[in-house]
Coordinates of all heavy atoms in Angstrom, one line a residue:
M181 N -101.7 80.9 9.6 CA -101.4 81.2 8.2 C -101.2 79.8 7.6 O -100.3 79.1 7.9 CB -100.2 82.1 8.0 CG -100.0 82.5 6.5 SD -101.0 83.7 5.9 CE -100.3 85.3 6.6
A182 N -102.0 79.6 6.4 CA -101.8 78.3 5.7 C -101.5 78.6 4.3 O -101.8 79.6 3.7 CB -103.1 77.5 5.8
I183 N -100.7 77.6 3.7 CA -100.2 77.9 2.4 C -101.1 76.9 1.5 O -101.4 75.8 1.8 CB -98.7 77.3 2.2 CG1 -97.8 78.0 3.1 CG2 -98.3 77.5 0.7 CD1 -97.6 79.5 2.8
Y184 N -101.5 77.5 0.3 CA -102.4 76.7 -0.6 C -101.7 76.6 -2.0 O -101.2 77.7 -2.5 CB -103.8 77.3 -0.7 CG -104.6 77.3 0.6 CD1 -104.4 78.2 1.5 CD2 -105.4 76.2 0.8 CE1 -105.0 78.2 2.7 CE2 -106.1 76.2 2.0 CZ -105.9 77.1 2.9 OH -106.5 77.0 4.2
S185 N -101.8 75.4 -2.5 CA -101.5 75.3 -3.9 C -102.8 75.7 -4.7 O -103.9 75.6 -4.3 CB -101.1 73.9 -4.4 OG -99.9 73.6 -3.6
V186 N -102.5 76.3 -6.0 CA -103.7 76.7 -6.7 C -103.7 75.9 -8.0 O -102.8 75.8 -8.7 CB -103.6 78.2 -7.0 CG1 -104.9 78.7 -7.7 CG2 -103.3 79.0 -5.7
Y187 N -105.0 75.5 -8.3 CA -105.2 74.6 -9.4 C -106.5 75.3 -10.2 O -107.2 76.0 -9.6 CB -105.6 73.2 -9.2 CG -104.4 72.4 -8.6 CD1 -104.1 72.5 -7.3 CD2 -103.6 71.7 -9.5 CE1 -103.0 71.9 -6.7 CE2 -102.6 70.9 -8.9 CZ -102.3 71.1 -7.5 OH -101.2 70.4 -7.0
F188 N -106.6 75.1 -11.5 CA -107.7 75.6 -12.4 C -108.2 74.7 -13.3 O -107.4 73.8 -13.8 CB -107.3 77.1 -12.9 CG -106.5 76.9 -14.1 CD1 -107.0 77.1 -15.3 CD2 -105.1 76.7 -14.0 CE1 -106.1 77.0 -16.4 CE2 -104.3 76.6 -15.1 CZ -104.9 76.8 -16.3
F189 N -109.4 74.7 -13.7 CA -109.9 74.0 -14.8 C -109.6 74.7 -16.0 O -110.0 75.9 -16.2 CB -111.4 73.8 -14.6 CG -112.1 73.1 -15.7 CD1 -112.1 71.7 -15.7 CD2 -112.7 73.7 -16.8 CE1 -112.6 71.0 -16.7 CE2 -113.3 73.0 -17.8 CZ -113.3 71.7 -17.7
C190 N -108.9 74.0 -17.0 CA -108.5 74.7 -18.2 C -109.6 74.6 -19.3 O -110.1 73.5 -19.6 CB -107.2 73.9 -18.7 SG -106.5 74.5 -20.3
D191 N -110.0 75.7 -19.8 CA -111.1 75.7 -20.9 C -110.5 75.2 -22.2 O -111.3 74.8 -23.0 CB -111.5 77.2 -21.1 CG -112.3 77.7 -19.9 OD1 -113.1 76.8 -19.3 OD2 -112.3 78.8 -19.7
E192 N -109.2 75.2 -22.4 CA -108.6 74.7 -23.7 C -108.7 73.2 -23.8 O -109.0 72.7 -24.9 CB -107.1 75.1 -23.8 CG -106.9 76.7 -23.8 CD -107.4 77.2 -25.0 OE1 -107.7 76.5 -26.1 OE2 -107.8 78.5 -25.1
C193 N -108.4 72.5 -22.7 CA -108.3 71.1 -22.8 C -109.2 70.3 -21.7 O -109.1 69.0 -21.8 CB -106.8 70.6 -22.6 SG -106.1 70.8 -21.0
S194 N -109.9 71.1 -21.0 CA -110.8 70.5 -19.9 C -110.1 69.5 -19.0 O -110.7 68.5 -18.6 CB -111.9 69.6 -20.9 OG -112.6 70.4 -21.6
E195 N -108.9 69.9 -18.6 CA -108.2 69.2 -17.5 C -107.9 70.2 -16.5 O -108.0 71.5 -16.7 CB -106.9 68.6 -18.1 CG -107.1 67.4 -18.9 CD -105.9 66.7 -19.3 OE1 -104.7 67.0 -18.7 OE2 -105.9 65.8 -20.2
I196 N -107.5 69.7 -15.2 CA -107.0 70.5 -14.2 C -105.6 70.7 -14.3 O -104.9 69.8 -14.4 CB -107.5 69.8 -12.8 CG1 -109.0 69.6 -12.7 CG2 -107.0 70.8 -11.7 CD1 -109.8 70.8 -12.4
H197 N -105.1 72.0 -14.1 CA -103.6 72.2 -14.2 C -103.3 73.1 -12.9 O -104.1 73.9 -12.5 CB -103.3 73.1 -15.4 CG -103.6 72.6 -16.7 ND1 -103.3 71.3 -17.1 CD2 -104.1 73.1 -17.8 CE1 -103.7 71.1 -18.4 NE2 -104.2 72.3 -18.8
P198 N -102.1 72.9 -12.4 CA -101.7 73.7 -11.4 C -101.4 75.2 -12.0 O -100.9 75.3 -13.1 CB -100.3 73.2 -11.0 CG -99.9 72.3 -12.1 CD -101.1 71.9 -12.8
L199 N -101.7 76.1 -11.2 CA -101.5 77.5 -11.7 C -100.0 77.9 -11.5 O -99.6 79.0 -12.0 CB -102.4 78.5 -10.9 CG -102.7 79.8 -11.4 CD1 -103.3 79.7 -12.8 CD2 -103.5 80.7 -10.6
G200 N -99.2 77.1 -10.8 CA -97.8 77.3 -10.7 C -97.4 78.4 -9.6 O -96.5 79.0 -9.6
T201 N -98.4 78.5 -8.7 CA -98.2 79.6 -7.8 C -98.9 79.1 -6.4 O -99.8 78.1 -6.5 CB -98.8 80.9 -8.1 OG1 -98.4 81.9 -7.1 CG2 -100.2 81.0 -8.2
T202 N -98.5 79.6 -5.3 CA -99.2 79.4 -4.0 C -99.6 80.7 -3.3 O -99.2 81.8 -3.9 CB -98.2 78.6 -3.0 OG1 -97.0 79.5 -2.8 CG2 -97.8 77.3 -3.6
V203 N -100.6 80.5 -2.5 CA -101.1 81.7 -1.8 C -101.0 81.4 -0.3 O -101.3 80.3 0.1 CB -102.4 82.2 -2.2 CG1 -102.5 82.8 -3.6 CG2 -103.5 81.1 -2.0
S204 N -100.9 82.4 0.6 CA -101.0 82.2 2.0 C -102.2 83.0 2.4 O -102.4 84.1 2.1 CB -99.7 83.0 2.6 OG -98.6 82.4 2.2
L205 N -103.0 82.2 3.2 CA -104.3 82.8 3.6 C -104.5 82.5 5.2 O -104.2 81.4 5.7 CB -105.5 82.0 2.9 CG -105.5 82.2 1.4 CD1 -106.5 81.3 0.8 CD2 -105.8 83.6 1.1
D206 N -105.0 83.5 5.8 CA -105.4 83.4 7.3 C -106.7 82.7 7.4 O -107.0 82.0 8.4 CB -105.4 84.7 7.9 CG -104.1 85.2 8.2 OD1 -103.2 84.5 8.5 OD2 -104.1 86.5 8.1
D207 N -107.6 82.8 6.4 CA -109.0 82.4 6.4 C -109.3 81.5 5.4 O -110.5 81.4 5.0 CB -109.9 83.7 6.3 CG -109.7 84.5 4.9 OD1 -108.7 84.1 4.2 OD2 -110.5 85.3 4.6
G208 N -108.4 80.6 5.0 CA -108.5 79.7 3.9 C -109.2 78.4 4.5 O -109.4 78.2 5.6
P209 N -109.7 77.6 3.5 CA -110.5 76.4 3.8 C -109.6 75.3 4.2 O -108.3 75.2 4.0 CB -111.1 76.0 2.4 CG -110.1 76.5 1.4 CD -109.6 77.8 2.0
A210 N -110.2 74.2 4.8 CA -109.4 73.1 5.4 C -109.1 72.1 4.4 O -108.3 71.2 4.6 CB -110.1 72.5 6.6
E211 N -109.9 72.1 3.3 CA -109.7 71.0 2.3 C -109.9 71.7 0.8 O -110.4 72.9 0.8 CB -110.7 69.9 2.4 CG -112.2 70.3 2.6 CD -113.0 69.2 3.1 OE1 -112.5 68.3 3.7 OE2 -114.2 69.1 2.8
K212 N -109.7 70.9 -0.2 CA -109.8 71.4 -1.5 C -111.2 72.0 -1.7 O -112.2 71.3 -1.6 CB -109.4 70.4 -2.6 CG -109.7 70.7 -4.0 CD -109.5 69.7 -5.0 CE -109.8 70.1 -6.4 NZ -109.5 69.0 -7.4
V213 N -111.3 73.2 -2.3 CA -112.5 73.9 -2.5 C -112.3 74.9 -3.5 O -111.2 75.5 -3.6 CB -113.2 74.3 -1.2 CG1 -112.3 75.5 -0.7 CG2 -114.5 74.8 -1.4
S214 N -113.3 75.2 -4.3 CA -113.1 76.3 -5.3 C -113.1 77.7 -4.6 O -113.7 77.8 -3.5 CB -114.2 76.3 -6.4 OG -115.4 76.7 -5.9
I215 N -112.5 78.7 -5.1 CA -112.5 79.9 -4.6 C -114.1 80.4 -4.5 O -114.4 81.1 -3.5 CB -111.7 80.9 -5.5 CG1 -110.3 80.6 -5.4 CG2 -112.0 82.4 -5.1 CD1 -109.5 81.3 -6.4
G216 N -114.8 80.2 -5.4 CA -116.2 80.7 -5.4 C -116.9 80.1 -4.2 O -117.8 80.8 -3.6
D217 N -116.6 78.8 -3.9 CA -117.4 78.2 -2.7 C -116.8 78.7 -1.5 O -117.4 78.9 -0.5 CB -117.2 76.7 -2.8 CG -118.2 76.2 -3.9 OD1 -119.2 76.8 -4.2 OD2 -117.9 75.0 -4.4
A218 N -115.5 78.8 -1.3 CA -114.7 79.1 -0.1 C -115.1 80.6 0.2 O -115.2 80.9 1.5 CB -113.2 79.1 -0.3
Y219 N -115.3 81.5 -0.8 CA -115.6 82.9 -0.4 C -117.0 83.3 -0.8 O -117.2 84.5 -1.1 CB -114.5 83.8 -1.2 CG -113.3 83.7 -0.5 CD1 -112.3 82.8 -0.9 CD2 -112.9 84.5 0.6 CE1 -111.1 82.6 -0.2 CE2 -111.8 84.5 1.3 CZ -110.8 83.5 0.9 OH -109.6 83.4 1.5
S220 N -117.9 82.4 -1.0 CA -119.3 82.6 -1.2 C -119.8 83.6 -0.3 O -119.9 83.4 1.0 CB -120.1 81.3 -1.1 OG -121.5 81.6 -1.5
G221 N -120.4 84.6 -0.8 CA -120.9 85.7 0.1 C -119.9 86.6 0.9 O -120.3 87.5 1.7
K222 N -118.6 86.3 0.7 CA -117.6 87.0 1.4 C -116.8 87.8 0.4 O -116.6 87.5 -0.7 CB -116.6 86.0 2.2 CG -117.2 85.4 3.4 CD -116.2 84.6 4.3 CE -116.1 83.2 3.9 NZ -115.2 82.5 4.7
E223 N -116.0 88.8 0.9 CA -115.1 89.6 0.2 C -113.9 88.8 -0.2 O -113.4 88.0 0.6 CB -114.7 90.8 0.8 CG -114.0 91.8 0.1 CD -113.6 93.0 0.8 OE1 -114.3 93.4 1.8 OE2 -112.8 93.8 0.3
L224 N -113.5 88.7 -1.5 CA -112.3 88.0 -1.8 C -111.1 88.6 -1.2 O -110.8 89.7 -1.1 CB -112.1 88.1 -3.4 CG -112.9 87.1 -4.3 CD1 -112.3 87.3 -5.7 CD2 -112.7 85.7 -3.8
N225 N -110.3 87.6 -0.6 CA -109.0 88.1 -0.1 C -108.1 88.6 -1.3 O -108.2 88.0 -2.3 CB -108.4 86.8 0.4 CG -107.0 87.0 1.1 OD1 -106.1 87.5 0.4 ND2 -106.9 86.6 2.4
P226 N -107.5 89.6 -1.0 CA -106.7 90.3 -2.2 C -105.7 89.3 -2.8 O -105.4 89.3 -4.0 CB -106.0 91.5 -1.6 CG -106.4 91.7 -0.2 CD -107.4 90.4 0.2
N227 N -105.1 88.4 -2.0 CA -104.2 87.4 -2.5 C -105.0 86.5 -3.5 O -104.3 86.0 -4.5 CB -103.6 86.5 -1.5 CG -102.7 87.2 -0.5 OD1 -102.2 88.5 -0.9 ND2 -102.3 86.7 0.6
I228 N -106.1 86.3 -3.3 CA -107.0 85.5 -4.2 C -107.4 86.3 -5.4 O -107.4 85.7 -6.6 CB -108.3 85.1 -3.4 CG1 -108.0 84.1 -2.2 CG2 -109.3 84.3 -4.4 CD1 -107.7 82.7 -2.6
A229 N -107.7 87.5 -5.1 CA -108.2 88.2 -6.4 C -107.1 88.3 -7.5 O -107.4 88.4 -8.6 CB -108.6 89.7 -5.8
N230 N -105.9 88.4 -6.9 CA -104.7 88.4 -7.9 C -104.7 87.1 -8.8 O -104.1 87.2 -9.9 CB -103.4 88.6 -7.1 CG -103.3 89.8 -6.6 OD1 -103.9 90.8 -7.0 ND2 -102.3 90.0 -5.6
L231 N -105.3 86.1 -8.3 CA -105.3 84.8 -9.1 C -106.1 84.8 -10.3 O -105.9 84.2 -11.4 CB -105.6 83.6 -8.3 CG -104.7 83.4 -7.0 CD1 -105.3 82.3 -6.2 CD2 -103.3 83.0 -7.4
L232 N -107.2 85.6 -10.3 CA -108.1 85.6 -11.3 C -107.4 86.3 -12.5 O -106.7 87.3 -12.4 CB -109.4 86.4 -10.9 CG -110.2 85.8 -9.8 CD1 -111.3 86.8 -9.3 CD2 -110.8 84.5 -10.2
N233 N -107.7 85.7 -13.7 CA -107.0 86.3 -15.0 C -105.6 86.1 -15.0 O -104.9 86.6 -15.9 CB -107.4 87.8 -15.2 CG -108.9 88.0 -15.3 OD1 -109.7 87.1 -15.7 ND2 -109.4 89.0 -14.7
H234 N -105.0 85.3 -14.1 CA -103.6 85.0 -14.1 C -103.4 84.0 -15.3 O -103.9 83.0 -15.4 CB -103.3 84.3 -12.9 CG -101.8 83.9 -12.7 ND1 -100.9 84.7 -12.1 CD2 -101.0 82.8 -13.0 CE1 -99.7 84.1 -12.1 NE2 -99.7 83.0 -12.7
K235 N -102.5 84.5 -16.3 CA -102.3 83.8 -17.7 C -101.4 82.6 -17.4 O -100.3 82.9 -16.9 CB -102.0 84.8 -18.7 CG -103.1 85.8 -19.1 CD -102.7 86.6 -20.3 CE -103.9 87.4 -20.7 NZ -104.3 88.3 -19.8
I236 N -101.6 81.6 -18.0 CA -100.7 80.5 -18.1 C -100.8 79.9 -19.4 O -101.8 80.0 -20.2 CB -100.9 79.5 -17.0 CG1 -102.2 78.6 -17.2 CG2 -100.9 80.0 -15.6 CD1 -101.8 77.1 -17.3
T237 N -99.7 79.1 -19.8 CA -99.8 78.3 -21.0 C -100.2 76.9 -20.8 O -99.7 76.2 -19.9 CB -98.3 78.2 -21.7 OG1 -97.8 79.6 -21.9 CG2 -98.3 77.5 -23.0
C238 N -101.3 76.5 -21.4 CA -101.8 75.2 -21.3 C -100.8 74.1 -21.7 O -100.3 74.2 -22.9 CB -103.1 75.0 -22.1 SG -103.6 73.2 -22.1
P239 N -100.4 73.2 -20.8 CA -99.3 72.3 -21.2 C -99.8 71.3 -22.3 O -98.9 70.7 -22.9 CB -99.1 71.6 -19.9 CG -100.3 71.8 -19.0 CD -100.8 73.0 -19.5
N240 N -101.1 71.1 -22.5 CA -101.5 70.2 -23.6 C -101.6 70.8 -25.0 O -101.5 70.2 -25.9 CB -102.8 69.6 -23.0 CG -102.7 68.6 -21.9 OD1 -101.6 68.0 -21.8 ND2 -103.6 68.6 -21.0
T241 N -102.1 72.1 -25.0 CA -102.4 72.7 -26.2 C -101.3 73.8 -26.6 O -101.3 74.2 -27.7 CB -103.8 73.4 -26.3 OG1 -103.8 74.5 -25.4 CG2 -104.8 72.4 -25.9
G242 N -100.6 74.2 -25.7 CA -99.6 75.3 -25.9 C -100.2 76.6 -26.0 O -99.5 77.6 -26.2
K243 N -101.5 76.8 -25.8 CA -102.2 78.1 -25.9 C -102.2 78.8 -24.6 O -102.2 78.2 -23.5 CB -103.6 77.8 -26.3 CG -103.7 77.4 -27.8 CD -105.2 77.3 -28.0 CE -105.4 76.8 -29.5 NZ -106.8 76.5 -29.8
I244 N -102.1 80.1 -24.7 CA -102.2 81.0 -23.5 C -103.7 80.9 -23.1 O -104.6 81.1 -23.9 CB -101.8 82.3 -23.8 CG1 -100.5 82.5 -24.4 CG2 -101.9 83.3 -22.5 CD1 -99.3 82.3 -23.3
T245 N -103.9 80.7 -21.8 CA -105.3 80.6 -21.2 C -105.3 81.2 -19.9 O -104.3 81.5 -19.2 CB -105.8 79.2 -21.3 OG1 -107.2 79.2 -20.9 CG2 -105.0 78.4 -20.2
F246 N -106.5 81.7 -19.5 CA -106.6 82.0 -18.0 C -108.1 81.6 -17.7 O -109.0 81.3 -18.4 CB -106.5 83.5 -17.9 CG -107.4 84.4 -18.8 CD1 -108.6 84.8 -18.1 CD2 -107.1 84.7 -20.1 CE1 -109.5 85.6 -18.9 CE2 -108.0 85.5 -20.7 CZ -109.2 85.9 -20.1
Q247 N -108.3 81.7 -16.4 CA -109.7 81.2 -15.8 C -110.1 82.4 -15.0 O -109.5 82.8 -14.0 CB -109.4 80.0 -15.0 CG -110.8 79.4 -14.4 CD -111.8 79.3 -15.5 OE1 -112.7 80.1 -15.8 NE2 -111.8 78.1 -16.2
K248 N -111.3 83.0 -15.5 CA -111.8 84.1 -14.7 C -113.1 83.7 -13.9 O -113.6 84.4 -13.1 CB -112.2 85.2 -15.5 CG -113.2 85.0 -16.7 CD -113.4 86.1 -17.5 CE -114.6 86.1 -18.5 NZ -114.3 85.0 -19.4
D249 N -113.4 82.4 -14.0 CA -114.5 81.9 -13.1 C -114.1 81.4 -11.9 O -113.4 80.4 -11.8 CB -115.3 80.9 -13.9 CG -116.5 80.3 -13.2 OD1 -116.7 80.7 -12.0 OD2 -117.2 79.5 -13.8
N250 N -114.4 82.1 -10.7 CA -113.8 81.7 -9.4 C -114.3 80.3 -9.0 O -113.8 79.8 -8.0 CB -113.9 82.8 -8.4 CG -115.3 83.2 -8.1 OD1 -116.2 82.4 -8.3 ND2 -115.4 84.3 -7.5
K251 N -115.4 79.8 -9.7 CA -115.8 78.4 -9.3 C -114.9 77.4 -10.1 O -115.1 76.1 -9.8 CB -117.2 78.2 -9.7 CG -118.2 79.0 -8.9 CD -119.1 78.2 -8.1 CE -120.2 79.0 -7.3 NZ -120.6 78.3 -6.2
Q252 N -114.1 77.8 -10.9 CA -113.2 76.8 -11.6 C -111.8 77.0 -11.2 O -110.9 76.5 -11.9 CB -113.4 77.1 -13.1 CG -114.7 77.0 -13.7 CD -115.3 75.6 -13.7 OE1 -114.5 74.6 -13.2 NE2 -116.5 75.3 -14.2
I253 N -111.5 77.8 -10.1 CA -110.1 77.8 -9.6 C -110.3 77.3 -8.1 O -111.1 77.5 -7.4 CB -109.7 79.3 -9.5 CG1 -109.7 79.9 -10.9 CG2 -108.2 79.5 -8.9 CD1 -109.4 81.4 -10.9
F254 N -109.2 76.3 -7.9 CA -109.3 75.5 -6.6 C -108.1 75.8 -5.7 O -107.0 75.9 -6.1 CB -109.3 74.1 -7.0 CG -110.5 73.8 -7.9 CD1 -110.4 73.7 -9.2 CD2 -111.7 73.5 -7.3 CE1 -111.4 73.5 -10.1 CE2 -112.9 73.2 -8.2 CZ -112.7 73.2 -9.6
L255 N -108.5 75.9 -4.5 CA -107.4 76.0 -3.4 C -107.2 74.6 -2.8 O -108.2 74.0 -2.4 CB -107.8 76.9 -2.3 CG -108.2 78.4 -2.7 CD1 -108.7 79.1 -1.4 CD2 -106.8 79.1 -3.1
V256 N -105.9 74.2 -2.8 CA -105.6 72.9 -2.2 C -104.6 73.1 -1.1 O -103.5 73.6 -1.3 CB -105.1 72.0 -3.2 CG1 -104.7 70.5 -2.6 CG2 -106.0 71.8 -4.3
P257 N -105.0 72.7 0.2 CA -104.0 73.0 1.3 C -102.7 72.2 1.1 O -102.7 71.1 0.6 CB -104.7 72.3 2.6 CG -106.1 72.3 2.2 CD -106.2 72.2 0.7
A258 N -101.6 73.0 1.1 CA -100.2 72.4 0.9 C -99.5 71.9 2.0 O -98.4 71.5 2.0 CB -99.5 73.5 0.2
G259 N -100.3 71.8 3.2 CA -99.6 71.2 4.5 C -98.9 72.3 5.1 O -99.1 73.5 4.9
D260 N -98.0 71.9 6.0 CA -97.4 72.9 7.0 C -96.4 73.7 6.2 O -95.6 73.3 5.4 CB -96.6 72.1 8.0 CG -97.7 71.3 8.9 OD1 -98.8 71.7 9.0 OD2 -97.3 70.1 9.2
Ligands
ZN426 ZN1 -105.1 72.8 -20.5

């Protein structure tokens, strides 16, 4: 089981922000990769599916935003 930090591309300001949450995955990637690439052709892990449409406030614009494109959400291994 590996822990991943989650980042996403913000449509409001075109920067990458942390989603402020982590996920634990048995079948996760070894390096930073988008969800869309990590699970291409595979069923989404339910822990991952929960991340889609997860609403956050953009720290640059103050607007509520979310990212539903799984190619714009990234898993980054958080170490041990
Ligand atoms: Zn933003």
Side-chain angles (χ1 to χ4, degrees):
M181 184 78 78
I183 307 288
Y184 294 85
S185 299
V186 186
Y187 293 81
F188 76 104
F189 180 83
C190 178
D191 289 331
E192 295 292 340
C193 71
S194 299
E195 289 185 11
I196 302 280
H197 302 313
L199 200 59
T201 187
T202 59
V203 290
S204 300
L205 298 172
D206 286 326
D207 58 348
E211 54 192 25
K212 177 183 172 181
V213 66
S214 74
I215 292 172
D217 288 332
Y219 288 90
S220 177
K222 290 192 263 180
E223 188 175 346
L224 276 187
N225 184 302
N227 289 347
I228 298 278
N230 287 340
L231 300 174
L232 298 173
N233 301 322
H234 183 90
K235 290 184 175 62
I236 69 127
T237 303
C238 171
N240 290 325
T241 68
K243 291 183 179 175
I244 304 284
T245 187
F246 62 91
Q247 182 54 264
K248 63 181 185 299
D249 181 351
N250 61 19
K251 293 251 183 195
Q252 303 287 1
I253 303 176
F254 302 94
L255 299 172
V256 180
D260 300 322

